[in-house]
Amino acid sequence: MAASPVFLNLDLLALSPPGWGGVLLAGFAASLQLAVGGFGLGLLIGIGGAFGKLYGGPILRDLLEVYTTVIRAVPELVLILLLYYAGTDAVNSLLMLVGLPRVDISGLAAGIFVIGVVQGAYSTEVLRGAIKAIPPGQIEAARAYGMSPFKTLRRITLPAMLPYAIPGLSNLWLIATKDTALLAVVGFSELTLVTRQAAGATKAYMLFYCAAGVLYLTLTLVSNRVIGHIERRARRGIAGPM
Amino acid sequence: MSDTKVTMPAYVPPPPRRLLEPHRIFLIALFGAIVFCAVWFLRWDWLEKYQWKLIHGIWETLFLLFSTAAAGFVLAVILGIVQVTGPRPLAMLARGFCTLIRGTPLLLQLWLLYYGLGSVFAQYPEIRQSMFWPYLRQAWPYGFTALMLSFAAYEGEVMRGAFAGVPRGELEAARAFGMGRFTMFRRIWLPRAFYRALPTLSGETVLQLKSTPLVATITVVDVYAIISRVRQDTYLTYEPLLLLALIYMCLTGILVMLFRFLENRIPSRGA
Amino acid sequence: MKHILKTTLAAAALATTAFTGALAEEVKVGIAAEPYPPFTSPDSSGKWVGWEIEFMDAICAEAKLDCVVTPVAWDGIIPALTSGKIDMIIGSMSITEERLKTIDFSDKYYNTPTGIIGAKGDDFEATPEGLSGKIIGVQVSTIHADYAEKHFGDVAAEIKQYQTQDEANQDLAAGRVDAVQADAIALDAFLKSDGGDCCELKGNVEDDEAILGAGVGVGIRKGDTELKDKLNAAIKAIRDNGTYESFSKKYFDFDIYGG
């Protein structure tokens, strides 16, 4: 066997060819884009869902309950397959039915959509719990001042629920960063897939998978630090742990 | 105060509703119509050919779920207790392990274990002579190990909190009665911590079900692998995946009901 | 104010349709998102290289199409084609009756027999008798998976299906499977590579044209006759004018077009 001991051939990780470091970092950047986009979309869906569940009519509440239950009961891998293949197919079929041309949904857009929908269900629950925890007097005071619902949302509800929501949301962010790895199964070029390709092309499996692990771990540790700062800032003025 | 109509009040919980309110009946009818359309218009002829394989796959999934949850729980207890009482180096090691596993995706860990170790085996053919080889050869030990380690890392944190949360007074009383350390652990600390952690544990076991499909990527044949085979044989997009989603929803529902039953059987006086 | 808003929106809508219109000329070519030397494999700068990439460049130049390489997971490549994510498949996909029910193919552009490789020192033949009691590795969603299930399914100890061909090869090198069945040309490339000196070719399997197909073609959607004609004309052209030969010479010392 001509290959040198699996770990020691660190040249393979060099940043420029023939090292694969550049490709890994490009995959990492794609993963980050997916995670940020998916988390953001999930937050938007979550805000809508939380408000729907709290203040909506009975049908809306039930539909949202079905949405969150289904997403939380079905594995992410199956959801990703369903949304990536069947979802984009359905969107195109709908467009063709109406007579519009098929739209080209890029891999990144489909991936963000998929992760966003999954995150949305969890965000709904987190944000709903956080909004319920806001002292009701604050909302009543806003109404007494004559603020419109949107203004109340913008000025009172969202800032006030933040300290209660941050632990849950930070957990969701970490889940989002790790769920991006599942898109490797549909062939989207994020970090886990390019690692598998690099490992397959060079046969240095251990080295590349460990390198990818280091990148993910770094992301997690940095995220934890940043979230710690955000939490401290959002909690200023609030006494003690919850 | 005035009686102005408040359009967005502070949160008022909705009144408790009966199951079959008018809007619910409408929604159930709508859902029933969708299901009927799905069954009528989509292709289900492949079901007959694959039904036994599917049942076998579901069995494999459940077996993997419960065995990794049980083994992972044992490891989690060890990780939790070490972080609460143990010597500092061990506690740091346990913490490091949990951080490592929780900081990397499960799919990566699976592939690292299976293909990474595989490349080590390729380099050292002598391993094939060892007595472990029949196990190292197959795929399910790797799937089992990765799932177990993942469960243990997440649960280790929960158990750490549970062990730390048992009132010290009970432990001191046990020591005052002359119980040895292991007896105290066995009779007081572990059961009390377990009951505190049970709701979270049951939730995490349900989540573990959602991690099991990943083992199909390292050739373990669970229900997801069977459905993948159906997809590749029939080239259908919707039907196999919808059935798979339905299977997992049913499994989750059964699990939730099982754990709710178990939770009701815990003796508790409001602890 | 409202008038300006309306005009801006209308302009934006027009621009979008124009933009989408411009993109419609682009042809997305789906390849398997895995290393499959010598046909397609990623190099360390992230570009895809190999015989099939050069073939794709040649026919796209000939047919005047703007081809864009789009890696897709192999087991989802046909759904990706039928749902419109990609417009053609150039991934060493064999033309078989089963696949023809769902998609269409261009004329064949190469052919390869099917071989079985195994560890050196492990003597067996590429027949059902030779493979009895052995663990066979194949890639999912390939003619080899179907063939192995049909012909060796009863005699083999287990047929393991892998997501990618190089993972199957790797497990053979690691000793987890006893035999791997795949396209003989791809297996040959593996045997010649660094990781391949553990193993040797045990032989070619008996032909079963219904399953193994009659050569490799470009996969296209059913009804896409315009693209099909363009591709067939391009394939014929590059065979006739020697382009096919010139880039094939870099990879093979025999004509892989086959009979």
Side-chain angles (χ1 to χ4, degrees), chain A residues 147-219:
Chain A
M147 288 192 188
S148 73
F150 186 63
K151 206 166 227 171
T152 317
L153 170 74
R154 202 164 46 89
R155 288 219 196 146
I156 311 291
T157 315
L158 283 183
M161 80 159 179
L162 209 53
Y164 302 100
I166 285 185
L169 288 182
S170 68
N171 205 26
L172 283 183
W173 162 251
L174 293 175
I175 291 177
T177 56
K178 290 193 287 259
D179 275 354
T180 59
L182 295 176
L183 284 166
V185 177
V186 296
F188 179 73
S189 293
E190 49 73 56
L191 180 58
T192 310
L193 183 70
V194 301
T195 309
R196 180 209 234 174
Q197 288 171 350
T202 61
K203 305 285 180 251
Y205 286 87
M206 206 64 162
L207 177 69
F208 281 105
Y209 284 131
C210 286
V214 165
L215 281 173
Y216 277 114
L217 199 57
T218 318
L219 177 61

Side-chain angles (χ1 to χ4, degrees), chain B residues 149-168:
Chain B
L149 291 179
S150 171
F151 191 75
Y154 284 96
E155 291 332 296
E157 191 57 34
V158 173
M159 291 313 290
R160 186 187 63 82
F163 281 125
V166 171
R168 297 243 82 178

